[in-house]
Amino acid sequence: MPAIVVLGAQWGDEGKGKATDLLGEQVDFVVKYNGGNNAGHTIVVGGEKYALHLLPSGILTSGVTPVIGNGVVVDLSVLFQEIDAISARGVDTSRLLVSANAHIITDYHRTMDKVGERFLGNAKIGTTGRGIGPAYADKMSRLGVRAQDLFDEKILRQKVEGALELKNQLLVKAYNRKAVPVDTVVDELLMHADRLRPMVADTSLLLGKALDEGKVVLLEGGQATMLDVDHGSYPFVTSSNPTAGGACTGSGIPPTRIDRVVAIVKAYTTRVGSGPFPTELLDEKGEWLRDRGAEFGTTTGRPRRCGWYDAVIARYAARINGVTDFVLTKLDVLTGLETIPVCVGYRVGDTTYDEMPTSQTDFHHAVPVYEELPGWDEDITAARSLEDLPKNARRYIEALEAMTSAPISVIGVGPGRDESIVVRSLV
Ligand code: GDP
Ligand code: IMO
Ligand code: MG
């Protein structure tokens, strides 16, 4: 039975949360496999708005078991705050499971994130300041604290001491900050241990058995392809693998069990933070997209940078992730434009690219080559089938589909769970 990956094709905020929520009724498990509370998913159900950061989006559907996989970095105070806030609104969070191998974000990771960015000055990444990069750096340096470590105080203390040894030198000598006392960190982590204990499990074993029993497992990526540490616009990326390979390493489900890879792609492009963005609009057209699409970050509230659809990126995402289906979101936002430019290639000096340039410098200097598609004026938010759409909206979808190698199976025409056109079922 199927394991389905849902991931972002662009620079995040494509509407992954809504897509995951839409599939909720048809799946048994929703597993978050990467990232942490840098993610922000806004989901609208029955007119109620929910903003999720660390909890898997499947949490809003009763009957789904939400899982925080081993590839996630977990800030425990955020986890419990989010559980409390959502429980207070009547959502059942009792089935939530956390991998024993998930790494923990501590106070010193948040501190290192902030001072690191300040130190970079103009070259800063524009991180969410949630300690994500430093927590993954500790994981790779084998200095991380995992969920299971909270249940053995002696081991926990040893690990925190190891992690702080060099960091405290750096904080005091390079960053002119106070050293972080080991005791403070250990006490704070231990304070969460009892509440965390019943949620912690061998989630890879459990998911393997679930697939054997014919259950449907949805693997939900945070961030997106262009923010992937290996395949994104490095160094302006996050510190994990949001791409399809990360779904396997971040959950313990092998590639041979994945049946479907669904990429969420916005009908235009947005980006938060620094880094190259070829189709970015720095004029009133970008402002128009930001206003119409309400493009302000769910996590940091920062205005998102906006630009036209980039087919080079969509094609790249299709290849890197082995995409079987696209979900095209926010088509309704484009209503009212006379023509809609779509980037079909890049020009760098005398060279034209129809694939992602290998060189970072070339990508920084890429000038989009646009094709103009005719727009539409009709309100499309009530459309529930392709036939309900104006001819030019259908032409836009067909043109985007022809530019990549995978079908557009679902189209978003509004933020609500039901504001979607399902052309082909995803489960
Ligand atoms: P995520 O991080 O990929 O889950 O996306 P975000 O939640 O950060 O940003 C997507 C925003 O677009 C949210 O506010 C959604 O409610 C909204 N949204 C999702 N799909 C659609 C759509 O088809 N049309 C409109 N107008 N809004 C949408
Ligand atoms: P969702 O899941 C958009 C961006 C940050 C920054 C870079 C690194 O909602 O799509 P980090 O804090 O991860 O070290 O920041 O990545 N970023 C996101 N941008 N959506 C997200 O998540 C993001 N998560 C991180 O703005 O540029
Ligand atoms: Mg988001």
Side-chain angles (χ1 to χ4, degrees):
M1 278 303 277
I4 305 157
V5 180
V6 169
L7 49 77
Q10 298 155 317
W11 274 287
D13 306 321
E14 297 92 348
K16 298 175 291 293
K18 181 194 153 178
T20 302
D21 174 66
L22 185 68
L23 292 172
E25 308 269 296
Q26 293 154 275
V27 307
D28 300 294
F29 291 82
V30 173
V31 188
K32 186 175 163 93
Y33 61 78
N34 76 301
N37 57 311
N38 48 348
H41 309 301
T42 301
I43 302 166
V44 183
V45 188
E48 287 265 321
K49 207 184 219 188
Y50 298 87
L52 300 176
H53 298 283
L54 190 49
L55 295 174
S57 303
I59 199 134
L60 298 180
T61 309
S62 59
V64 167
T65 301
V67 178
I68 293 181
N70 58 278
V72 174
V73 285
V74 182
D75 186 323
L76 291 169
S77 46
V78 171
L79 177 70
F80 296 132
Q81 271 165 27
E82 209 166 297
I83 290 175
D84 290 343
I86 201 169
S87 305
R89 296 175 68 181
V91 176
D92 176 15
T93 58
S94 63
R95 291 177 317 281
L96 177 71
L97 297 173
V98 178
S99 164
N101 292 344
H103 281 248
I104 303 296
I105 299 179
T106 66
D107 201 31
Y108 52 80
H109 294 124
R110 285 187 296 267
T111 304
M112 295 303 287
D113 196 352
K114 284 174 189 146
V115 294
E117 281 280 272
R118 210 165 302 146
F119 210 69
L120 283 172
N122 283 341
K124 71 172 190 231
I125 312 293
T127 73
T128 58
R130 302 299 193 261
I132 305 293
Y136 278 115
D138 271 1
K139 172 176 173 173
M140 291 308 182
S141 308
R142 293 155 296 184
L143 289 171
V145 172
R146 296 187 294 173
Q148 59 180 289
D149 299 329
L150 266 68
F151 313 126
D152 184 332
E153 189 177 339
K154 199 167 142 220
I155 292 275
L156 178 66
R157 188 168 295 276
Q158 271 175 21
K159 296 211 165 173
V160 173
E161 272 168 8
L164 278 174
E165 206 176 326
L166 186 61
K167 271 181 213 78
N168 273 338
Q169 300 266 353
L170 260 177
L171 280 172
V172 173
K173 293 178 184 158
Y175 295 127
N176 203 19
R177 304 270 295 217
K178 282 197 192 118
V180 177
V182 172
D183 281 347
T184 312
V185 176
V186 171
D187 290 350
E188 200 197 316
L189 292 177
L190 286 176
M191 193 179 77
H192 293 302
D194 285 343
R195 191 166 178 196
L196 181 68
R197 196 186 299 263
M199 299 174 198
V200 173
D202 182 343
T203 51
S204 151
L205 177 65
L206 194 132
L207 292 168
K209 283 186 174 161
L211 285 169
D212 287 344
E213 286 164 13
K215 301 272 197 301
V216 182
V217 175
L218 191 156
L219 299 151
E220 180 192 34
Q223 294 77 55
T225 304
M226 294 304 291
L227 288 172
D228 186 283
V229 69
D230 283 278
H231 302 291
S233 48
Y234 190 90
F236 301 101
V237 293
T238 191
S239 300
S240 69
N241 288 117
T243 48
C248 295
T249 52
S251 67
I253 292 179
T256 45
R257 300 208 82 159
I258 310 264
D259 304 79
R260 223 67 190 251
V261 179
V262 179
I264 318 303
V265 70
K266 226 179 258 195
Y268 49 99
T269 314
T270 63
R271 167 162 212 176
V272 194
S274 325
F277 178 0
T279 63
E280 180 171 21
L281 296 164
L282 296 165
D283 54 12
E284 69 284 354
K285 292 199 189 84
E287 206 58 61
W288 185 87
L289 281 173
R290 188 175 308 113
D291 281 352
R292 291 276 314 219
E295 296 295 353
F296 294 89
T298 313
T299 300
T300 56
R302 286 179 287 181
R304 293 174 181 151
R305 299 160 63 192
C306 297
W308 301 123
Y309 186 86
D310 186 334
V312 181
I313 286 176
R315 263 199 306 274
Y316 179 69
R319 176 168 63 81
I320 290 289
N321 297 298
V323 171
T324 59
D325 305 80
F326 275 105
V327 172
L328 182 71
T329 61
K330 303 192 102 163
L331 188 65
D332 53 302
V333 173
L334 298 181
T335 299
L337 291 167
E338 203 170 315
T339 58
I340 311 168
V342 169
C343 169
V344 294
Y346 303 135
R347 202 162 287 126
V348 184
D350 295 334
T351 315
T352 305
Y353 290 86
D354 59 4
E355 294 285 347
M356 192 64 67
T358 314
S359 139
Q360 188 199 337
T361 311
D362 285 350
F363 189 52
H364 271 267
H365 293 112
V367 177
V369 178
Y370 284 117
E371 202 175 295
E372 297 277 339
L373 297 170
W376 61 92
D377 279 325
E378 298 87 334
D379 181 352
I380 61 167
T381 51
R384 295 295 175 268
S385 74
L386 287 177
E387 293 71 46
D388 296 338
L389 290 173
K391 188 172 79 298
N392 284 348
R394 282 206 302 272
R395 265 177 79 174
Y396 188 74
I397 298 165
E398 283 159 16
L400 266 42
E401 203 164 40
M403 289 172 198
T404 50
S405 52
I408 294 173
S409 297
V410 177
I411 297 128
V413 291
R417 193 186 263 182
D418 56 332
E419 288 174 306
S420 314
I421 296 171
V422 181
V423 181
R424 188 165 87 117
S425 168
L426 295 174
V427 179

